[in-house]
Coordinates of all heavy atoms in Angstrom, one line a residue:
Chain A
Q395 N 18.5 -34.2 1.7 CA 19.8 -33.9 2.2 C 20.1 -34.7 3.5 O 21.2 -35.1 3.7 CB 19.9 -32.4 2.4 CG 20.0 -31.6 1.0 CD 20.4 -30.1 1.3 OE1 20.7 -29.7 2.4 NE2 20.1 -29.3 0.3
R399 N 23.1 -37.3 4.3 CA 24.3 -36.8 5.1 C 24.3 -37.6 6.5 O 25.2 -37.4 7.2 CB 24.1 -35.3 5.3 CG 24.4 -34.4 4.2 CD 25.8 -34.5 3.7 NE 26.8 -34.0 4.7 CZ 28.0 -34.4 4.6 NH1 28.5 -35.2 3.7 NH2 28.9 -33.9 5.6
R406 N 31.1 -38.2 11.9 CA 31.9 -37.0 12.3 C 31.6 -36.6 13.7 O 32.4 -36.2 14.5 CB 31.6 -35.9 11.3 CG 32.3 -34.5 11.8 CD 32.8 -33.7 10.7 NE 33.4 -32.5 11.2 CZ 34.6 -32.4 11.6 NH1 35.4 -33.5 11.6 NH2 35.1 -31.4 12.1
Y407 N 30.3 -36.4 14.0 CA 29.9 -35.8 15.4 C 29.3 -36.8 16.3 O 29.0 -36.4 17.5 CB 28.9 -34.7 15.1 CG 29.5 -33.5 14.2 CD1 28.9 -33.1 13.2 CD2 30.7 -32.8 14.7 CE1 29.4 -32.1 12.4 CE2 31.2 -31.8 14.0 CZ 30.6 -31.4 12.8 OH 31.1 -30.4 12.1
R491 N 13.5 -28.8 21.0 CA 14.2 -27.8 20.2 C 13.5 -27.6 18.9 O 13.0 -28.6 18.4 CB 15.7 -28.1 20.0 CG 16.4 -28.3 21.3 CD 16.4 -27.0 22.1 NE 17.5 -27.3 23.2 CZ 18.8 -27.0 23.0 NH1 19.3 -26.5 21.9 NH2 19.7 -27.3 24.0
T511 N 12.2 -18.5 21.4 CA 13.6 -18.3 21.3 C 14.2 -18.3 22.6 O 15.5 -18.2 22.8 CB 13.9 -16.9 20.6 OG1 13.3 -15.9 21.4 CG2 13.5 -17.0 19.2
A513 N 16.2 -19.2 25.9 CA 17.2 -20.2 26.1 C 17.8 -20.8 24.9 O 18.4 -21.9 24.7 CB 16.8 -21.4 27.0
G514 N 17.6 -20.0 23.8 CA 18.2 -20.4 22.4 C 17.5 -21.7 21.9 O 18.2 -22.6 21.2
R517 N 16.3 -22.4 16.5 CA 17.3 -21.8 15.5 C 16.4 -21.6 14.2 O 15.6 -22.3 13.9 CB 18.3 -22.9 15.2 CG 19.4 -22.9 16.2 CD 20.7 -23.8 15.7 NE 21.8 -23.4 16.5 CZ 22.1 -24.1 17.7 NH1 21.3 -25.0 18.2 NH2 23.2 -23.7 18.4
G525 N 20.3 -20.0 3.0 CA 21.6 -20.6 3.5 C 22.6 -19.7 4.0 O 23.6 -20.2 4.6
L526 N 22.5 -18.5 3.7 CA 23.5 -17.4 4.2 C 23.6 -17.4 5.6 O 22.6 -17.5 6.3 CB 23.3 -16.1 3.6 CG 23.2 -16.0 2.0 CD1 22.9 -14.6 1.7 CD2 24.6 -16.4 1.4
P527 N 24.8 -17.3 6.3 CA 24.9 -17.4 7.8 C 24.6 -16.0 8.4 O 25.5 -15.3 8.9 CB 26.4 -17.7 8.0 CG 27.1 -17.2 6.7 CD 26.2 -17.2 5.6
T531 N 25.5 -15.4 12.6 CA 26.4 -14.3 12.8 C 25.9 -13.3 13.7 O 26.6 -12.9 14.6 CB 26.8 -13.7 11.4 OG1 27.3 -14.8 10.5 CG2 27.7 -12.5 11.5
I536 N 26.1 -10.8 19.1 CA 25.4 -10.4 20.4 C 25.9 -11.2 21.6 O 26.2 -10.6 22.7 CB 23.9 -10.6 20.2 CG1 23.3 -9.7 19.2 CG2 23.2 -10.4 21.5 CD1 21.9 -10.1 18.7
D537 N 26.1 -12.5 21.4 CA 26.6 -13.4 22.5 C 28.0 -12.8 23.0 O 28.3 -12.8 24.2 CB 26.7 -14.8 22.0 CG 25.3 -15.5 22.0 OD1 24.4 -14.9 22.4 OD2 25.3 -16.7 21.4
G539 N 28.9 -9.9 23.1 CA 28.9 -8.6 23.8 C 29.0 -7.4 22.8 O 29.1 -6.3 23.2
A685 N 20.6 -10.6 -8.5 CA 19.6 -11.0 -7.5 C 20.2 -11.5 -6.1 O 19.6 -12.0 -5.3 CB 18.8 -12.2 -8.1
D686 N 21.5 -11.1 -5.9 CA 22.1 -11.5 -4.6 C 21.3 -10.8 -3.4 O 20.8 -9.6 -3.5 CB 23.5 -11.1 -4.5 CG 24.4 -12.2 -5.1 OD1 23.9 -13.2 -5.4 OD2 25.6 -12.1 -5.2
R695 N 31.9 -2.9 17.4 CA 33.2 -3.5 17.0 C 33.5 -3.3 15.5 O 34.7 -3.2 15.1 CB 33.5 -4.9 17.5 CG 33.5 -4.9 19.0 CD 33.7 -6.4 19.5 NE 33.6 -6.5 21.0 CZ 32.9 -7.4 21.6 NH1 32.4 -8.4 21.0 NH2 32.8 -7.3 23.0
Y696 N 32.4 -3.5 14.8 CA 32.6 -3.3 13.3 C 32.0 -1.9 12.9 O 30.9 -1.9 12.3 CB 31.9 -4.4 12.6 CG 32.5 -5.8 12.7 CD1 32.0 -6.7 13.6 CD2 33.6 -6.1 12.0 CE1 32.6 -7.9 13.9 CE2 34.2 -7.4 12.2 CZ 33.8 -8.3 13.1 OH 34.4 -9.5 13.2
R699 N 34.2 0.0 9.5 CA 33.9 -0.9 8.4 C 33.0 -2.0 8.8 O 33.3 -2.7 9.7 CB 35.3 -1.5 7.8 CG 36.1 -0.3 7.2 CD 37.6 -0.4 7.5 NE 38.1 -1.8 7.2 CZ 39.2 -2.3 7.8 NH1 39.8 -1.7 8.9 NH2 39.6 -3.4 7.5
L701 N 30.7 -5.5 8.9 CA 30.9 -6.9 8.5 C 29.7 -7.1 7.4 O 28.6 -6.8 7.6 CB 30.5 -7.8 9.7 CG 30.8 -9.2 9.7 CD1 30.8 -9.8 11.0 CD2 29.9 -10.1 8.8
V702 N 30.1 -7.7 6.2 CA 29.1 -7.8 5.2 C 29.2 -9.2 4.7 O 30.1 -9.9 4.5 CB 29.7 -6.9 4.0 CG1 28.8 -7.2 2.7 CG2 29.7 -5.5 4.3
I703 N 27.9 -9.7 4.5 CA 27.7 -11.1 4.0 C 26.7 -11.0 2.7 O 25.7 -10.3 2.8 CB 27.1 -12.0 5.0 CG1 28.0 -12.1 6.2 CG2 26.8 -13.4 4.4 CD1 27.4 -12.9 7.4
R704 N 27.2 -11.7 1.7 CA 26.5 -11.5 0.4 C 26.4 -12.9 -0.3 O 27.3 -13.6 -0.2 CB 27.2 -10.5 -0.4 CG 26.9 -10.4 -1.8 CD 27.8 -9.5 -2.5 NE 27.9 -9.8 -3.9 CZ 28.6 -9.2 -4.8 NH1 29.4 -8.2 -4.3 NH2 28.7 -9.5 -6.0
P706 N 23.4 -15.6 -2.9 CA 22.0 -15.9 -3.3 C 21.3 -16.2 -2.0 O 21.8 -17.0 -1.1 CB 22.2 -17.2 -4.1 CG 23.6 -17.2 -4.6 CD 24.4 -16.5 -3.6
S711 N 17.9 -25.7 -2.6 CA 19.0 -26.5 -2.0 C 19.7 -25.7 -0.9 O 20.0 -26.2 0.1 CB 19.9 -26.9 -3.1 OG 20.8 -25.8 -3.6
V712 N 19.9 -24.3 -1.2 CA 20.5 -23.5 0.0 C 19.7 -23.4 1.1 O 20.1 -23.3 2.3 CB 21.2 -22.2 -0.6 CG1 22.2 -22.5 -1.6 CG2 20.0 -21.3 -1.2
A715 N 19.7 -26.6 3.0 CA 21.1 -26.7 3.6 C 21.0 -25.8 4.9 O 21.7 -26.2 5.9 CB 22.2 -26.3 2.7
R726 N 24.0 -31.5 18.0 CA 25.3 -31.6 18.7 C 25.2 -31.0 20.1 O 25.9 -31.5 21.1 CB 26.4 -30.7 18.0 CG 26.8 -31.2 16.7 CD 27.9 -30.4 16.1 NE 29.2 -30.5 16.8 CZ 30.2 -29.8 16.5 NH1 30.2 -28.9 15.6 NH2 31.3 -29.9 17.4
E727 N 24.3 -30.1 20.4 CA 24.0 -29.6 21.8 C 23.3 -30.7 22.7 O 23.5 -30.8 23.8 CB 23.2 -28.4 21.8 CG 23.9 -27.1 21.2 CD 23.1 -26.0 21.1 OE1 21.9 -26.0 21.5 OE2 23.5 -25.0 20.5
R729 N 23.7 -33.8 22.3 CA 24.4 -35.0 22.3 C 25.0 -35.6 23.6 O 24.9 -36.6 24.1 CB 25.6 -35.1 21.3 CG 26.4 -36.2 21.2 CD 27.6 -36.0 20.3 NE 28.2 -34.8 20.7 CZ 29.5 -34.4 20.1 NH1 29.9 -35.1 19.2 NH2 30.0 -33.3 20.5
D730 N 25.7 -34.5 24.4 CA 26.6 -35.0 25.4 C 25.8 -35.3 26.7 O 24.8 -34.7 27.0 CB 27.5 -33.8 25.8 CG 28.6 -33.7 24.8 OD1 29.5 -34.6 24.7 OD2 28.7 -32.8 24.0
Chain W
Q952 N 36.1 -9.8 28.1 CA 34.8 -9.9 27.5 C 34.1 -11.1 28.2 O 32.9 -11.1 28.4 CB 35.0 -10.3 25.9 CG 35.4 -9.1 25.1 CD 35.4 -9.5 23.6 OE1 34.9 -10.6 23.2 NE2 36.0 -8.7 22.8
R956 N 30.5 -10.8 30.0 CA 29.3 -11.5 29.4 C 28.9 -12.7 30.2 O 27.8 -13.3 29.8 CB 29.8 -12.0 28.0 CG 29.9 -10.8 27.0 CD 28.7 -10.0 26.8 NE 27.6 -10.8 26.2 CZ 26.3 -10.5 26.1 NH1 26.0 -9.3 26.7 NH2 25.5 -11.2 25.5
R963 N 20.9 -16.5 29.5 CA 20.3 -16.8 28.2 C 20.4 -18.3 27.9 O 19.4 -18.9 27.4 CB 21.0 -16.0 27.1 CG 20.7 -16.5 25.7 CD 20.6 -15.3 24.7 NE 20.2 -15.8 23.4 CZ 18.9 -16.1 23.1 NH1 18.0 -15.7 23.9 NH2 18.6 -16.5 21.9
Y964 N 21.6 -18.9 28.2 CA 21.7 -20.3 27.7 C 21.9 -21.3 28.8 O 21.9 -22.5 28.6 CB 22.9 -20.4 26.8 CG 22.9 -19.7 25.5 CD1 23.8 -18.7 25.2 CD2 21.8 -19.9 24.6 CE1 23.8 -18.0 24.0 CE2 21.8 -19.2 23.4 CZ 22.7 -18.2 23.1 OH 22.7 -17.5 21.9
R1048 N 37.4 -30.1 25.1 CA 37.2 -29.4 23.9 C 38.2 -28.3 23.8 O 38.7 -27.8 24.9 CB 35.8 -28.8 23.9 CG 34.7 -29.8 24.0 CD 34.7 -30.8 22.8 NE 33.5 -31.5 22.8 CZ 32.3 -31.2 22.3 NH1 32.3 -30.0 21.6 NH2 31.3 -31.9 22.4
T1068 N 40.9 -32.0 15.5 CA 39.6 -31.6 14.9 C 38.7 -33.0 14.9 O 37.4 -32.7 14.5 CB 39.7 -31.0 13.6 OG1 40.4 -32.0 12.7 CG2 40.5 -29.7 13.6
A1070 N 35.8 -35.4 15.4 CA 34.5 -35.3 16.2 C 34.3 -33.8 16.5 O 33.5 -33.6 17.5 CB 34.5 -36.1 17.4
G1071 N 34.8 -32.9 15.8 CA 34.5 -31.5 16.0 C 35.0 -31.0 17.4 O 34.4 -30.1 17.9
R1074 N 37.3 -25.9 18.0 CA 36.7 -24.8 17.2 C 37.9 -23.7 17.1 O 38.7 -23.6 18.0 CB 35.5 -24.2 17.9 CG 34.2 -25.0 17.8 CD 33.1 -24.1 18.2 NE 31.8 -24.6 17.7 CZ 31.1 -25.6 18.3 NH1 31.6 -26.2 19.4 NH2 30.1 -26.1 17.7
G1082 N 37.2 -12.2 13.9 CA 35.8 -12.5 14.3 C 34.8 -12.7 13.2 O 33.7 -13.0 13.4
L1083 N 35.3 -12.7 11.9 CA 34.4 -12.9 10.8 C 34.0 -14.4 10.8 O 34.8 -15.3 11.1 CB 35.1 -12.6 9.5 CG 35.5 -11.1 9.3 CD1 36.3 -11.0 8.0 CD2 34.3 -10.2 9.4
P1084 N 32.8 -14.7 10.4 CA 32.3 -16.1 10.5 C 32.7 -16.9 9.4 O 31.9 -17.4 8.5 CB 30.8 -15.9 10.6 CG 30.6 -14.7 9.7 CD 31.7 -13.8 10.0
T1088 N 31.1 -21.0 8.8 CA 30.3 -21.0 7.5 C 30.8 -22.2 6.7 O 30.1 -23.0 6.2 CB 30.5 -19.6 6.9 OG1 29.9 -18.6 7.6 CG2 29.9 -19.7 5.4
I1093 N 29.9 -27.7 4.6 CA 30.5 -29.1 4.4 C 29.5 -30.0 5.2 O 29.0 -31.1 4.7 CB 31.8 -29.2 5.0 CG1 32.8 -28.5 4.1 CG2 32.3 -30.7 5.0 CD1 34.1 -28.2 4.8
D1094 N 29.1 -29.6 6.4 CA 28.1 -30.5 7.1 C 26.8 -30.7 6.3 O 26.2 -31.8 6.4 CB 27.8 -29.9 8.5 CG 28.9 -30.0 9.5 OD1 29.8 -30.8 9.3 OD2 28.9 -29.3 10.5
G1096 N 26.5 -31.0 3.3 CA 26.7 -31.8 2.1 C 27.0 -30.9 0.9 O 27.1 -31.5 -0.3
A1242 N 41.6 -2.1 4.0 CA 42.3 -3.3 4.7 C 41.4 -4.5 5.1 O 41.7 -5.2 5.9 CB 43.0 -2.7 6.0
D1243 N 40.2 -4.5 4.5 CA 39.2 -5.5 4.7 C 39.8 -6.9 4.3 O 40.5 -7.0 3.4 CB 37.9 -5.3 4.1 CG 37.0 -4.4 5.0 OD1 37.3 -4.1 6.0 OD2 35.9 -4.0 4.4
R1252 N 26.5 -25.6 -4.6 CA 25.2 -24.9 -4.4 C 25.4 -23.4 -4.7 O 24.4 -22.8 -5.0 CB 24.6 -25.2 -3.0 CG 24.2 -26.6 -2.8 CD 23.6 -26.9 -1.5 NE 23.4 -28.3 -1.3 CZ 23.6 -29.0 -0.2 NH1 24.0 -28.3 0.9 NH2 23.4 -30.2 -0.2
Y1253 N 26.5 -22.8 -4.2 CA 26.8 -21.4 -4.6 C 27.8 -21.4 -5.8 O 28.9 -21.0 -5.7 CB 27.5 -20.7 -3.4 CG 26.5 -20.7 -2.2 CD1 26.5 -21.5 -1.1 CD2 25.5 -19.6 -2.2 CE1 25.6 -21.4 -0.1 CE2 24.6 -19.5 -1.1 CZ 24.7 -20.4 -0.1 OH 23.8 -20.3 1.0
R1256 N 26.9 -17.9 -8.4 CA 27.2 -16.6 -7.5 C 27.7 -17.1 -6.2 O 27.1 -17.9 -5.6 CB 26.0 -15.7 -7.4 CG 25.6 -15.1 -8.7 CD 24.1 -15.1 -8.9 NE 23.3 -14.6 -7.7 CZ 22.0 -14.8 -7.4 NH1 21.4 -15.7 -8.1 NH2 21.5 -14.3 -6.4
L1258 N 29.1 -17.3 -2.2 CA 28.8 -16.7 -0.9 C 30.1 -15.9 -0.6 O 31.2 -16.5 -0.5 CB 28.6 -17.9 0.0 CG 28.0 -17.7 1.4 CD1 27.5 -18.9 2.1 CD2 29.0 -16.9 2.3
V1259 N 29.8 -14.7 -0.2 CA 30.9 -13.7 0.1 C 30.8 -13.2 1.4 O 29.7 -12.7 1.9 CB 31.1 -12.6 -1.0 CG1 32.0 -11.6 -0.6 CG2 31.2 -13.1 -2.3
I1260 N 31.9 -13.2 2.3 CA 31.9 -12.6 3.6 C 33.2 -11.6 3.6 O 34.2 -11.9 3.2 CB 32.2 -13.6 4.7 CG1 30.9 -14.6 4.6 CG2 32.2 -13.0 6.0 CD1 31.0 -15.7 5.6
R1261 N 32.9 -10.4 4.1 CA 33.9 -9.4 4.1 C 33.8 -8.5 5.3 O 32.7 -8.3 5.9 CB 33.6 -8.5 2.9 CG 34.2 -7.2 2.8 CD 33.7 -6.5 1.6 NE 33.9 -5.1 1.8 CZ 33.5 -4.2 1.0 NH1 32.9 -4.5 -0.2 NH2 33.8 -2.9 1.3
P1263 N 36.6 -6.3 8.5 CA 37.9 -6.3 9.2 C 38.3 -7.8 9.7 O 37.4 -8.3 10.4 CB 37.8 -5.3 10.3 CG 36.5 -4.5 10.0 CD 35.6 -5.5 9.2
V1269 N 37.7 -7.8 18.0 CA 36.9 -8.7 17.1 C 37.6 -10.2 17.2 O 36.8 -11.2 17.1 CB 36.9 -8.4 15.6 CG1 36.0 -7.1 15.6 CG2 38.2 -8.0 15.0
A1272 N 36.3 -11.6 20.4 CA 34.9 -12.0 20.2 C 34.7 -13.3 19.5 O 33.8 -14.0 19.8 CB 34.2 -10.8 19.6
R1283 N 27.7 -24.7 25.0 CA 26.2 -25.1 24.7 C 26.2 -26.5 24.4 O 25.2 -27.2 24.7 CB 25.6 -24.3 23.6 CG 25.3 -22.9 24.1 CD 24.6 -22.1 22.9 NE 23.3 -22.5 22.8 CZ 22.5 -22.1 21.7 NH1 22.9 -21.2 20.9 NH2 21.3 -22.5 21.6
E1284 N 27.2 -27.0 23.8 CA 27.1 -28.5 23.5 C 27.4 -29.4 24.7 O 26.9 -30.5 24.8 CB 28.3 -28.9 22.5 CG 27.9 -28.4 21.1 CD 29.0 -28.5 20.1 OE1 29.9 -29.2 20.4 OE2 28.9 -28.0 19.0
R1286 N 26.4 -28.6 27.7 CA 25.4 -28.3 28.8 C 24.4 -29.5 29.0 O 24.3 -29.8 30.2 CB 24.6 -27.1 28.3 CG 23.5 -26.7 29.3 CD 22.8 -25.5 28.7 NE 22.2 -25.9 27.4 CZ 21.5 -25.1 26.7 NH1 21.0 -23.9 27.3 NH2 21.0 -25.5 25.6
D1287 N 23.9 -30.0 28.0 CA 22.7 -30.9 28.3 C 23.0 -32.3 28.9 O 24.0 -32.8 28.5 CB 22.0 -31.1 26.9 CG 21.2 -29.9 26.5 OD1 20.2 -29.5 27.3 OD2 21.5 -29.3 25.6

Side-chain angles (χ1 to χ4, degrees):
Chain A
Q395 289 187 13
R399 291 296 296 163
R406 172 145 184 80
Y407 297 121
R491 301 296 192 88
T511 60
R517 283 192 162 85
L526 300 175
T531 297
I536 295 166
D537 285 347
D686 274 357
R695 293 181 187 141
Y696 295 98
R699 290 136 55 204
L701 190 168
V702 176
I703 300 175
R704 163 181 158 187
S711 75
V712 294
R726 290 183 67 186
E727 289 174 9
R729 181 186 51 171
D730 288 291
Chain W
Q952 289 187 12
R956 290 297 296 163
R963 172 144 184 80
Y964 297 121
R1048 301 295 191 88
T1068 60
R1074 284 192 161 85
L1083 300 175
T1088 296
I1093 294 166
D1094 284 349
D1243 274 357
R1252 292 178 189 144
Y1253 294 98
R1256 290 136 55 202
L1258 188 168
V1259 176
I1260 301 176
R1261 164 183 157 185
V1269 292
R1283 290 183 68 187
E1284 289 174 9
R1286 180 186 52 173
D1287 287 291

